[in-house]
Amino acid sequence: MYTFLPENITPVKQKVPKEQKALIGAFLVGLLLVICAVVSWCYYSFSLRKADRLKTELLFLKKDGFIIHNQQGKVVFRMAFQSGILDLDSCAKYGEILSCTRSDKGPLKFFVQTVLKDKDTVMCYRVRWEEFVADTSILHTMYWDNAYWYGGSEMRTQHWPIKLSGYKEPRPFVTGDVYSFRDGFGGILESYWLSSNATAIKINASVPFHLGWNSTEKVFFFEARYKDSPYKPPPGKQPFPELSYRVCVGLDVTSIHKYMVRRYFNKPTRIPSESAFKYPIWSTWALFKTDINQEKLLNFTESIKKYHFNYSHIEIDDMYSKYYGDFDFDPVKFPDAPAMFKKLKEDGFKVTLWIHPFINYNSSNFGIGIERGLFVKEPSGRLPAMVQWWNGIGAILDFTNPSTKEWFQGNLRQLRTKYGISSFKFDAGETSYLPAQFSTYQPLSDPNMFSRRYTEMADQFYDLAELRVGYQSQNISCFFRIIDRDSEWGYELGLKSLIPTVLTISMLGYPFILPDMIGGNAYTNFTKDMKELYIRWLELSAFMPSMQFSIPPWVFDKEVIEIAQKFTKLHESLVAPLLLELAGEVTDTGDPVIRPIWWISPNDEAAHKIDSQFLIGDTLMVAPVLEPGKQERDVYLPAGKWRSYKGELFQRTPILLTDYPVDLDEVAYFTWVS
């Protein structure tokens, strides 16, 4: 049965009770809150997962760089990516590896790997950024922040800690002669730096590494590139640059350096001759330059005897041969070389000869070198690459060629046999003397390996040998000589640069250091009026691993002779025994012989910036006078108990002794009292 309603009648909607309305509203609000909570939780969980994905131990990765905290939570290292921005959505974490596959420029291979994890002592990370575009560059910027930094290379103007000025575009980090090429890097270098914040960074050897800086922003520029560079990709590889390095964070600057040296550096395998540590070297250079001859040499040795100095060993420097590249004595300058060497031997002198890797075009050995293929060649590999060095034009020996090494060593051995030569002063060897374009017997992806091969060749004559280049050569057991110094007081190749340079080379892993000639090279600016400079230089050198005279004390007066006698004896009796003890430990530990003050006081900020004092081991601290007209200086004594050379005992330390008196014939030194 159906009920029909009239058309003009509208059904009446039944009203919902107020109580029911409130219930529905509450339900909807609750549902909305639940949805919001779920969304928030999902977003929070995603954020946590993403944050965790971009963090590995104490390192946090951002799209434009990364930061590292120390164990106390302080930011101690910052690196910025200048040549690209990471696409963080392409990043993922697998175990100890955090990797990304894209940047704003396209595909790449980037990863950070935790390679050592000990939160209580050391944390180390391996960082690698590799591009897949030929002839591009990778640029990362490392901030100095408020830390003091050490390491890198020998420089023309040397400070400790590092103090650089201005803005420098990244340039090849290769060995160079900073005496002749002012703006280059020195002959001894390693791509390694450490800071007072207990962080250290070492660039991998596979990187086509360029270094620059901006002192205003307090940053280093680390660049990897092949374009317009002496670096070449390995044979058969595309010129895809790679910037890879290790960053480690430790508890203090001393412990992190010890860790880096033990893990990443070679160590000497042998110790040079004991006499090189104990007795002075007498070089003919500053007095005679290239005008050395038999008569002058014998008169020089007679003066050494006359003034009662130890005979030790004498070094015959530049231009004893007729032509550069000859392996014998000029018969005009040395009319009876065998008799001369017999006399030197009878007098007790060991003789070393200056030698170099150049064969000038007018030497008879130039033709031999071409015939046997002994030289670095031009890019085609057919002709020798002619080079200009400070003594003319010639070819440079290619020590990547085993035949060259054998031929050169054979000639040196003949000299040693014929005249009783003890060893050699190996000069040059820097890559700055290679031509802009060249080829070698074994291709060199890293041009610094030319310097490395030179040091390997010299190692056979290690006991009294000296080198002035070093790259990955910490296992070479020769003395490494700093570049020539000018006879000046300042930081640019002057007296004040000695301690910063020696400390820098020490921290690069080279323990046996020769601080060049006492008083400098006396080219144009040395006169007898510079007696005070000579004395202060002599006093500092007496506490170095080896002493080298070239300007002899007797060119001044009796006072200088007596001071020189005093300090050569002090070096022999006090310094050398400690040096030899420390040298014996180096082959096991790799610890430096000459050490910065912070070595024994790593958390003392005052010690981090001291550049005019140093330690020999942990027990002998030296504070020479390095200012003209001064017979006093400030001396900083770090924590410990110290006894001065005058017998004073200092127990309330650390302390700064202001205007501590030091006479002209004195060096302030202090011994650790256990």
Side-chain angles (χ1 to χ4, degrees):
M1 180 177 185
Y2 298 97
T3 303
F4 293 95
L5 295 177
E7 291 182 359
N8 59 345
I9 296 177
T10 303
V12 178
K13 293 182 180 179
Q14 196 165 356
K15 290 185 178 181
V16 179
K18 290 184 178 180
E19 294 82 0
Q20 193 173 350
K21 274 187 177 181
L23 185 62
I24 293 171
F27 173 78
L28 292 174
V29 170
L31 180 62
L32 181 63
L33 289 174
V34 169
I35 292 171
C36 290
V38 169
V39 170
S40 298
W41 174 253
C42 291
Y43 179 78
Y44 178 67
S45 299
F46 175 78
S47 299
L48 282 178
R49 288 196 298 272
K50 187 173 181 180
D52 183 63
R53 186 179 70 192
L54 299 179
K55 182 177 183 296
T56 176
E57 300 302 337
L58 302 175
L59 183 149
F60 185 75
L61 179 67
K62 300 181 291 182
K63 64 181 181 179
D64 57 353
F66 64 88
I67 61 174
I68 302 177
H69 297 83
N70 64 8
Q71 289 82 353
Q72 289 74 45
K74 176 185 175 183
V75 174
V76 291
F77 188 86
R78 288 194 297 150
M79 187 74 84
F81 306 145
Q82 297 294 111
S83 54
I85 297 175
L86 290 177
D87 177 359
L88 297 183
D89 289 331
S90 74
C91 302
K93 188 176 181 184
Y94 304 97
E96 302 295 344
I97 299 177
L98 195 167
S99 63
C100 307
T101 58
R102 290 194 310 274
S103 73
D104 59 334
K105 295 182 178 180
L108 84 161
K109 181 179 181 180
F110 173 85
F111 69 81
V112 178
Q113 178 183 9
T114 304
V115 292
L116 182 72
K117 183 168 64 173
D118 187 343
K119 290 185 178 179
D120 294 329
T121 53
V122 177
M123 293 291 296
C124 285
Y125 306 93
R126 178 185 172 205
V127 182
R128 180 185 175 107
W129 181 305
E130 184 178 3
E131 293 280 0
F132 300 123
V133 179
D135 293 328
T136 187
S137 70
I138 304 166
L139 181 64
H140 290 184
T141 298
M142 187 191 81
Y143 290 86
W144 302 344
D145 288 328
N146 295 318
Y148 299 105
W149 285 87
Y150 315 93
S153 75
E154 186 180 14
M155 302 284 281
R156 183 180 178 93
T157 301
Q158 198 94 43
H159 292 278
W160 179 272
I162 294 170
K163 183 165 68 175
L164 301 170
S165 60
Y167 177 90
K168 291 289 184 183
E169 288 284 346
R171 50 195 165 153
F173 193 65
V174 295
T175 58
D177 176 359
V178 290
Y179 195 86
S180 300
F181 306 101
R182 178 183 297 267
D183 292 331
F185 301 106
I188 300 173
L189 57 71
E190 303 291 337
S191 51
Y192 166 71
W193 292 266
L194 73 154
S195 81
S196 57
N197 272 346
T199 58
I201 181 169
K202 190 173 190 308
I203 311 297
N204 288 359
S206 58
V207 174
F209 182 54
H210 297 64
L211 176 69
W213 60 82
N214 185 336
S215 62
T216 302
E217 296 183 0
K218 297 184 177 180
V219 295
F220 273 134
F221 302 128
F222 294 159
E223 184 181 35
R225 64 178 164 88
Y226 289 114
K227 187 177 181 180
D228 301 323
S229 165
Y231 295 93
K232 306 297 178 188
K237 300 289 186 180
Q238 292 290 325
F240 298 155
E242 160 217 330
L243 182 56
S244 56
Y245 45 87
R246 308 290 177 106
V247 183
C248 294
V249 180
L251 296 178
D252 59 63
V253 61
T254 303
S255 63
I256 194 61
H257 177 70
K258 286 186 175 185
Y259 170 79
M260 296 297 286
V261 167
R262 284 158 175 73
R263 187 172 178 89
Y264 299 118
F265 284 33
N266 295 316
K267 293 186 285 293
T269 55
R270 299 169 293 186
I271 301 169
S273 170
E274 182 177 318
S275 64
F277 291 95
K278 294 178 68 174
Y279 309 123
I281 301 166
W282 298 90
S283 170
T284 63
W285 174 249
L287 206 59
F288 306 113
K289 302 296 192 291
T290 59
D291 292 329
I292 186 62
N293 60 36
Q294 184 167 329
E295 181 182 4
K296 290 177 180 178
L297 177 63
L298 291 175
N299 287 339
F300 190 36
T301 60
E302 287 301 314
S303 295
I304 295 171
K305 292 160 58 181
K306 175 183 176 181
Y307 292 106
H308 308 292
F309 288 96
N310 188 284
Y311 303 163
S312 56
H313 86 261
I314 190 162
E315 191 172 78
I316 304 174
D317 214 289
D318 196 348
M319 210 55 207
Y320 55 84
S321 60
K322 187 175 182 179
Y323 301 111
Y324 292 108
D326 294 352
F327 294 97
D328 211 339
F329 286 82
D330 182 345
V332 176
K333 287 186 167 187
F334 297 86
D336 194 352
M340 178 187 74
F341 278 97
K342 182 180 178 182
K343 176 73 165 58
L344 292 172
K345 184 177 180 180
E346 289 172 352
D347 288 345
F349 284 100
K350 295 179 179 179
V351 182
T352 57
L353 285 184
W354 175 78
I355 202 72
H356 53 81
F358 305 103
I359 307 292
N360 277 13
Y361 68 91
N362 54 358
S363 169
S364 60
N365 286 319
F366 185 75
I368 294 173
I370 293 177
E371 180 183 343
R372 299 187 183 182
L374 304 178
F375 298 135
V376 172
K377 296 180 175 62
E378 42 80 42
S380 72
R382 293 191 300 269
L383 298 173
M386 301 301 286
V387 298
Q388 184 169 2
W389 61 297
W390 67 90
N391 277 331
I393 297 174
I396 186 166
L397 291 165
D398 178 6
F399 290 108
T400 73
N401 185 344
S403 297
T404 302
K405 180 179 177 181
E406 182 181 346
W407 177 82
F408 192 73
Q409 289 178 329
N411 279 287
L412 299 189
R413 285 193 295 267
Q414 285 182 9
L415 275 169
R416 192 165 61 179
T417 301
K418 184 175 182 179
Y419 298 113
I421 302 296
S422 294
S423 193
F424 301 90
K425 172 185 178 178
F426 293 95
D427 214 350
E430 298 92 347
T431 63
S432 58
Y433 286 108
L434 291 170
Q437 299 294 326
F438 66 91
S439 63
T440 49
Y441 180 84
Q442 294 176 354
L444 295 178
S445 298
D446 180 354
N448 286 313
M449 292 307 293
F450 177 80
S451 298
R452 164 71 188 175
R453 296 291 176 257
Y454 188 51
T455 64
E456 290 172 347
M457 177 278 303
D459 194 41
Q460 183 180 115
F461 308 94
Y462 77 98
D463 56 343
L464 287 175
E466 61 180 84
L467 286 153
R468 80 173 197 187
V469 292
Y471 174 73
Q472 297 181 16
S473 301
Q474 294 89 345
N475 63 317
I476 304 300
S477 300
C478 301
F479 267 88
F480 286 82
R481 174 176 67 90
I482 67 176
I483 198 67
D484 304 43
R485 303 287 112 171
D486 286 328
S487 302
E488 297 180 353
W489 289 91
Y491 286 102
E492 185 176 351
L493 298 178
L495 176 60
K496 287 184 182 177
S497 71
L498 248 68
I499 295 174
T501 304
V502 170
L503 287 175
T504 297
I505 295 172
S506 289
M507 302 314 286
L508 297 180
Y510 296 89
F512 311 132
I513 304 171
L514 181 61
D516 200 47
M517 300 173 292
I518 292 168
N521 52 32
Y523 278 141
T524 58
N525 56 345
F526 193 89
T527 67
K528 291 184 180 181
D529 295 333
M530 302 185 82
K531 169 181 169 180
E532 182 189 10
L533 172 65
Y534 183 85
I535 290 173
R536 293 308 192 190
W537 208 305
L538 160 68
E539 292 167 348
L540 169 56
S541 295
F543 290 87
M544 289 291 169
S546 187
M547 299 178 71
Q548 185 178 61
F549 285 101
S550 196
I551 302 166
W554 51 87
V555 304
F556 294 98
D557 54 28
K558 182 180 179 182
E559 181 184 21
V560 176
I561 294 170
E562 290 175 348
I563 292 173
Q565 290 169 338
K566 170 184 174 180
F567 278 96
T568 52
K569 290 176 181 175
L570 183 68
H571 179 85
E572 180 182 345
S573 62
L574 173 69
V575 181
L578 180 56
L579 292 170
L580 288 165
E581 178 185 341
L582 293 165
E585 298 172 0
V586 162
T587 55
D588 292 326
T589 66
D591 289 347
V593 171
I594 303 297
R595 301 170 182 175
I597 298 302
W598 52 250
W599 188 265
I600 58 171
S601 193
N603 295 312
D604 183 347
E605 187 173 348
H608 292 160
K609 55 188 176 181
I610 292 176
D611 70 345
S612 62
Q613 298 175 220
F614 61 94
L615 292 162
I616 305 175
D618 291 345
T619 59
L620 181 59
M621 185 174 65
V622 187
V625 173
L626 305 175
E627 298 279 353
K630 297 286 187 180
Q631 295 201 24
E632 67 282 325
R633 64 155 292 163
D634 293 349
V635 178
Y636 184 74
L637 298 178
K641 190 185 297 185
W642 297 93
R643 189 178 301 280
S644 79
Y645 67 106
K646 300 175 184 179
E648 307 149 304
L649 184 64
F650 298 93
Q651 300 185 74
R652 295 181 179 179
T653 56
I655 187 173
L656 179 66
L657 308 176
T658 58
D659 295 328
Y660 185 78
V662 186
D663 291 341
L664 183 61
D665 65 341
E666 294 180 323
V667 171
Y669 64 91
F670 302 78
T671 53
W672 176 274
V673 180
S674 60

